[in-house]
Amino acid sequence: MTAQLALGTYRCRAIPEAAVRAAASGALWIDTAPNYATGRAQTLLAPALAAHPSLRVSTKAGYFTAATGVEAVSAGALTEDQAPAGHSLAPDYVRWQTGRNREQLGRDRLDLALLHNPERAHPGDRPALHRAIRAAFVVLEEAAAAGHVAGYGIATWAGLDEEAFTVGELLALAAEAAGGQSHHLGLVRAIMCEAR
């Protein structure tokens, strides 16, 4: 395995400048999310991505800011009851957020669309969580078929550690979502942190 330089924008204070420096340093990937930088990260990244079209980008659906929740309700992607949670895997929301990500990033296609901490959707209820993940994967498979995403995955802090799901279960859910065709699940990213 060869290491590749990438930029993560979580808690990055100078996203445009960091993106330009990362590109100049040979970075191949930039990771972001619609809730980073209080909802401005993707818009701040767009000029650097336009200037460096070879940069690949991964972004997410799951967490959202209060302002994005209001927009999602207005667009019919979330109900008034869902918006206060600040997190959703509802298919209409995942579909809407994936399109919004493309628009904010200035890309016709996302290289990678990740479900952001999906374990947050149904804590303690594995069957409901797995149904929600499968439904979100169906949306992402549809987006892949339409050419809007190249692949999708999971970004989790605690899902594997808390046994909310296993990699094998995620692969099986992706296979179901793809309806017997090859699926586009390509990444399960787990951040492991030790309590100190």
Side-chain angles (χ1 to χ4, degrees):
M1 177 185 265
T2 303
Q4 295 181 353
L5 184 62
L7 170 68
T9 60
Y10 181 59
R11 295 188 180 176
C12 183
R13 293 182 185 184
I15 290 173
E17 296 84 353
V20 169
R21 284 189 183 185
S25 300
L28 302 175
W29 282 90
I30 294 182
D31 177 70
T32 193
N35 63 310
Y36 292 177
T38 60
R40 297 180 358 262
Q42 297 187 137
T43 304
L44 291 170
L45 270 176
L49 293 173
H52 302 279
S54 64
L55 277 173
R56 297 177 80 189
V57 64
S58 66
T59 189
K60 302 170 188 74
Y63 285 113
F64 53 86
T65 65
T68 300
V70 169
E71 289 178 45
V73 169
S74 293
L78 289 174
T79 66
E80 294 275 350
D81 293 340
Q82 292 170 319
H87 186 277
S88 179
L89 295 183
D92 287 342
Y93 172 74
V94 172
R95 187 175 295 108
W96 178 81
Q97 185 62 67
T98 302
R100 186 174 184 268
N101 290 347
R102 291 191 349 262
E103 181 182 311
Q104 288 184 334
L105 291 165
R107 291 279 171 102
D108 292 331
R109 183 184 74 150
L110 301 173
D111 298 298
L112 204 49
L114 306 173
L115 297 183
H116 202 177
N117 292 343
E119 64 274 12
R120 173 113 192 280
H122 295 278
D125 187 346
R126 289 181 94 245
L129 174 61
H130 290 202
R131 286 191 299 274
I133 291 171
R134 183 191 180 283
F137 282 178
V138 167
V139 170
L140 294 171
E141 287 291 344
E142 291 167 358
H148 297 309
V149 301
Y152 63 88
I154 298 284
T156 180
W157 283 94
L160 295 170
D161 200 36
E162 294 173 355
E163 299 179 355
F165 44 75
T166 66
V167 172
E169 288 168 334
L170 294 173
L171 289 168
L173 293 169
E176 288 176 23
Q181 306 297 315
S182 293
H183 62 75
H184 293 83
L185 176 65
L187 177 74
V188 177
R189 186 179 76 196
I191 308 296
M192 303 295 197
C193 298
E194 278 187 39
R196 296 191 187 257

